[in-house]
Amino acid sequence: LSGLGFREGDNQRAVEAFSGGWRMRLNLAQALMCRSDVLLLDEPTNHLDLPAILWLESWLLRYPGILLLVSHDRDFLDALCTRVAHIEHQRIRVYSGNYSQFESQRAEQLAQQEAMHRRQQKEIRHIQSYVDRFRYKASKARQAQSRLKMLERMALIAPAHVDSPFDFEFMEPPRQPLHLAQLEAVAAGYGEPVLQGVDLLISAGDRIGLLGVNGAGKSTLVKALADGSTVLSGSRTVSRDTRIGYFAQHQLDQLDPRQSPIDHLRPLAPTARESELRRYLGGFGFGGERIFEPLAPFSGGEKARLVLALMIRQQPNLLLLDEPTNHLDLDMRQALSQALVEFGGAIVLISHDRHLLRSVCDELLVVHDGVVEVFDRELDQYPAWLAERQEAPSAAGPRLNDETPATAAANKKRQRQVEAQRRLALKPLADRVREIERRLAAGRAELERLQARLAEPALYTDTGRKDEITGLLREQAACKASLATLESEWLEASDALERAVAGASG
C-alpha cells in the first residue's frame, strides 16, 4: 500500500471513503498480493503517479510467475516485457524482445513494402531535421544532450508508426513574445497555500517538465499559470500576445455530449470549409461520418483527442499540459510526442510518461514540500532522488504556534465548517458514482441471468427454440454493451470525484 502511494493511517479508512482512482489502486494491490502463477494486468499504471509507477515496475521485475500486461507506457513495457504480442487486423503476432525491439522489428517488416518504405524515409528525414536543428542550438547542457539522444531515437521509432491513423502538427501562432508568463513570490493553493514563494519565468522556447508525487502541487502550479485561479498572493504577469493552450483532464467533462466533434470545432474556425475541418479532424483519428456523431458514447481516449484538437486549433504559443497522455494509445502518444518536438512555442508539461518527458523537455522542475525547485539531474536519476529523500527526510517540518484553548476550539470549529462545506460540494459527484455502481451491479446480475439461461442444455436440444436463443443472444450483447458504457462512465465520474477531492484538499 505504501509503494502505491497510500499514506500512514489510510489502511484504517473504509473503502467507500476513497475516490475511484484510489479504489483502482486498491484493486491493483489485491492483485499483486494474491498468490499466483499468472498475473494479468490491464493498464495498471492508470491513476498512478511516477513514483508509484517506478515502485510497481521494480515489484513486477521480481515477480516469479508469468506476466501478461496491457500498457501504453513505453518505458514500463521496455523494462518488463520479453515478448510482445501485437494485435492488428484481427490477428496476433508475437515478437521476441521488449517494446523498443518490437518497434525495430516491425519497422523492418514495413520497410519491405515499397510504398511504405518511401513514407518511412520521408518521416525519418522530417524528424532528423529537428534533430540537426537542435544539435547546433544547445549541445553543451546535460538536459540538452539527453534530449538530443531522445530525438535521435525518435527518428528510429518513426518508421514503426508510419501507418498510424494520427497525423497532426501545431499551427504557427500569430505572434511569439520573448516572455510569455511570469509568477513572482506566488503562494498558490485552494484557500490554504499548497506552494509558497514560487518564482517562475516562462520564455519563448522553454520546455519544462514538472516532477512530483500526486498532491505535491503540480496541477496547482499549472492552474496558477493558466488563469491565476490558484494564486493566493504574489503576482502573475502574462504578455498581451500570449495565447495559452491548456489541457487538463477536467476539460473532457466540459465537452457537450449532445454535440459532435465538428460542432465543437466550427466556432474556432467559422470561415473554414467542411472539407478542411474533415481533414483536420481526420488527423486526430475522426474519420467518415464519425465527426457528425454526438459525443455521449465516445470513449475517454476519443474525447482526449478532441480536446487536443480544439486546443491546437487555437494556435497557442504557450502549452500547459496536465497529463495529456491519459486515455491515449501508443500511436497517439507517438504522434503527440512528435508534434510537441516540432512545436515552436513554450511548454510546461506534467506527465507520468517518461518517454514524453525525455523527448519534449529540456528542463525539469520538481515540486515538493510546498516549493518548486530546479531538478539538476537527468530524468533517469529521479528514482534515486526519491529514495534519498525517503532515507533522509527533511528535518525542517512546519512549526506549530502555541494555541490557547479558546484558539484551539475556534480552529476546530472552523475546520468542521470547512469539512462540512467540502462534503456538501462533493455530494453530487459522490452520488453519481454510487448511482452508476448501483446500475453496474444490476447490469451484472442481468448478464449472469442471461448467461445462465444460455447455458441450459434443454435450450439446444429442442429444435423449436431457435428464436428464443437468438433473442437471448441479442439481450446478452445489448447487456454487455450497456455494461461497457457504464464502466466508462464510472471511470470518468470517479476521476471527476478524485479531482474534486484533490482540489478541495489542496
Side-chain angles (χ1 to χ4, degrees), residues 292-341:
F292 300 108
E293 296 176 8
L295 290 182
F298 278 40
S299 69
E302 289 172 317
K303 291 176 182 176
R305 297 203 309 266
L306 179 58
V307 169
L308 283 169
L310 298 176
M311 180 189 72
I312 291 170
R313 190 73 191 191
Q314 296 175 60
Q315 298 176 268
N317 49 29
L318 171 57
L319 292 178
L320 305 175
L321 306 175
D322 191 345
E323 297 290 2
T325 59
N326 282 0
H327 304 295
L328 302 184
D329 63 19
L330 277 161
D331 278 332
M332 183 60 188
R333 289 185 184 208
Q334 170 65 14
L336 175 62
S337 179
Q338 183 176 322
L340 289 174
V341 164

Side-chain angles (χ1 to χ4, degrees), residues 76-121:
F76 196 67
L77 291 170
D78 268 349
L80 294 170
C81 295
T82 56
R83 287 195 291 166
V84 172
H86 183 228
I87 304 173
E88 187 178 39
H89 305 311
Q90 298 181 319
R91 294 184 178 181
I92 300 176
R93 180 166 182 173
V94 179
Y95 295 77
S96 295
N98 62 16
Y99 183 79
S100 292
Q101 291 165 329
F102 152 73
E103 281 185 320
S104 177
Q105 294 174 59
R106 184 162 186 266
E108 290 175 9
Q109 292 171 2
L110 292 173
Q112 293 171 5
Q113 305 169 41
E114 183 59 31
M116 195 68 76
H117 180 67
R118 287 197 297 269
R119 287 179 60 190
Q120 284 179 351
Q121 296 307 308

Side-chain angles (χ1 to χ4, degrees), residues 146-154 157 355 358-359:
S146 175
R147 181 158 174 254
L148 178 58
K149 292 176 184 175
M150 196 64 225
L151 289 174
E152 290 170 339
R153 173 163 158 66
M154 282 186 69
I157 290 172
H355 172 78
R358 282 195 201 93
S359 58

Side-chain angles (χ1 to χ4, degrees), residues 276-292:
E276 181 189 343
L277 299 182
R278 277 181 174 273
R279 281 195 302 272
Y280 181 76
L281 288 170
F284 293 86
F286 300 105
E289 298 306 301
R290 187 75 166 154
I291 65 171
F292 300 108

Side-chain angles (χ1 to χ4, degrees), residues 10-279:
D10 279 350
N11 58 340
Q12 302 300 324
R13 295 171 59 195
V15 172
E16 65 181 9
F18 291 97
S19 66
W22 285 99
R23 292 191 204 180
M24 297 288 278
R25 293 195 190 202
L26 283 171
N27 286 336
L28 176 58
Q30 282 188 309
L32 299 182
M33 293 304 294
C34 177
R35 294 181 183 274
S36 62
D37 300 308
V38 181
L39 184 58
L40 310 176
L41 298 180
D42 189 352
E43 293 291 356
T45 61
N46 282 1
H47 304 284
L48 299 186
D49 56 12
L50 185 52
I53 291 173
L54 294 168
W55 176 88
L56 177 61
E57 191 177 282
S58 65
W59 194 98
L60 292 174
L61 283 169
R62 299 192 301 272
Y63 177 67
I66 297 169
L67 173 64
L68 185 62
L69 170 69
V70 178
S71 178
H72 297 316
D73 187 323
R74 178 192 308 272
D75 281 35
F76 196 67
L77 291 170
D78 268 349
L80 294 170
C81 295
T82 56
R83 287 195 291 166
V84 172
H86 183 228
I87 304 173
E88 187 178 39
H89 305 311
Q90 298 181 319
R91 294 184 178 181
I92 300 176
R93 180 166 182 173
V94 179
Y95 295 77
S96 295
N98 62 16
Y99 183 79
S100 292
Q101 291 165 329
F102 152 73
E103 281 185 320
S104 177
Q105 294 174 59
R106 184 162 186 266
E108 290 175 9
Q109 292 171 2
L110 292 173
Q112 293 171 5
Q113 305 169 41
E114 183 59 31
M116 195 68 76
H117 180 67
R118 287 197 297 269
R119 287 179 60 190
Q120 284 179 351
Q121 296 307 308
K122 179 181 177 182
E123 197 71 21
I124 289 173
R125 287 194 298 272
H126 187 60
I127 295 182
Q128 189 64 48
S129 69
Y130 286 90
V131 174
D132 295 339
R133 184 188 305 179
F134 188 76
R135 173 178 278 119
Y136 303 113
K137 197 172 183 180
S139 59
K140 294 183 180 179
R142 184 169 66 243
Q143 290 288 353
Q145 283 285 355
S146 175
R147 181 158 174 254
L148 178 58
K149 292 176 184 175
M150 196 64 225
L151 289 174
E152 290 170 339
R153 173 163 158 66
M154 282 186 69
L156 298 175
I157 290 172
H161 296 267
V162 76
D163 58 345
S164 167
F166 311 115
D167 180 24
F168 61 90
E169 59 185 24
F170 283 86
M171 305 175 74
E172 198 67 31
R175 291 195 176 116
Q176 185 65 273
L178 177 59
H179 299 305
L180 295 149
Q182 184 172 16
L183 301 179
E184 294 180 280
V186 162
Y190 308 86
E192 295 294 329
V194 176
L195 302 172
Q196 297 271 17
V198 178
D199 291 300
L200 182 60
L201 175 63
I202 309 294
S203 300
D206 282 351
R207 293 165 173 271
I208 299 170
L210 299 182
L211 304 176
V213 300
N214 278 357
K218 302 187 298 295
S219 296
T220 303
L221 176 60
V222 168
K223 288 177 185 175
L225 288 166
D227 56 15
S229 61
T230 58
V231 174
L232 302 176
S233 64
S235 65
R236 168 184 177 268
T237 307
V238 177
S239 167
R240 67 178 182 180
D241 292 324
T242 297
R243 301 180 73 158
I244 293 175
Y246 176 42
F247 178 95
Q249 294 302 311
H250 68 81
Q251 291 177 304
L252 275 63
D253 302 324
Q254 294 174 359
L255 296 170
D256 188 338
R258 298 164 298 180
Q259 291 193 330
S260 66
I262 202 166
D263 289 335
H264 283 83
L265 182 60
R266 275 198 184 103
L268 302 178
T271 61
R273 295 180 179 177
E274 186 175 297
S275 58
E276 181 189 343
L277 299 182
R278 277 181 174 273
R279 281 195 302 272

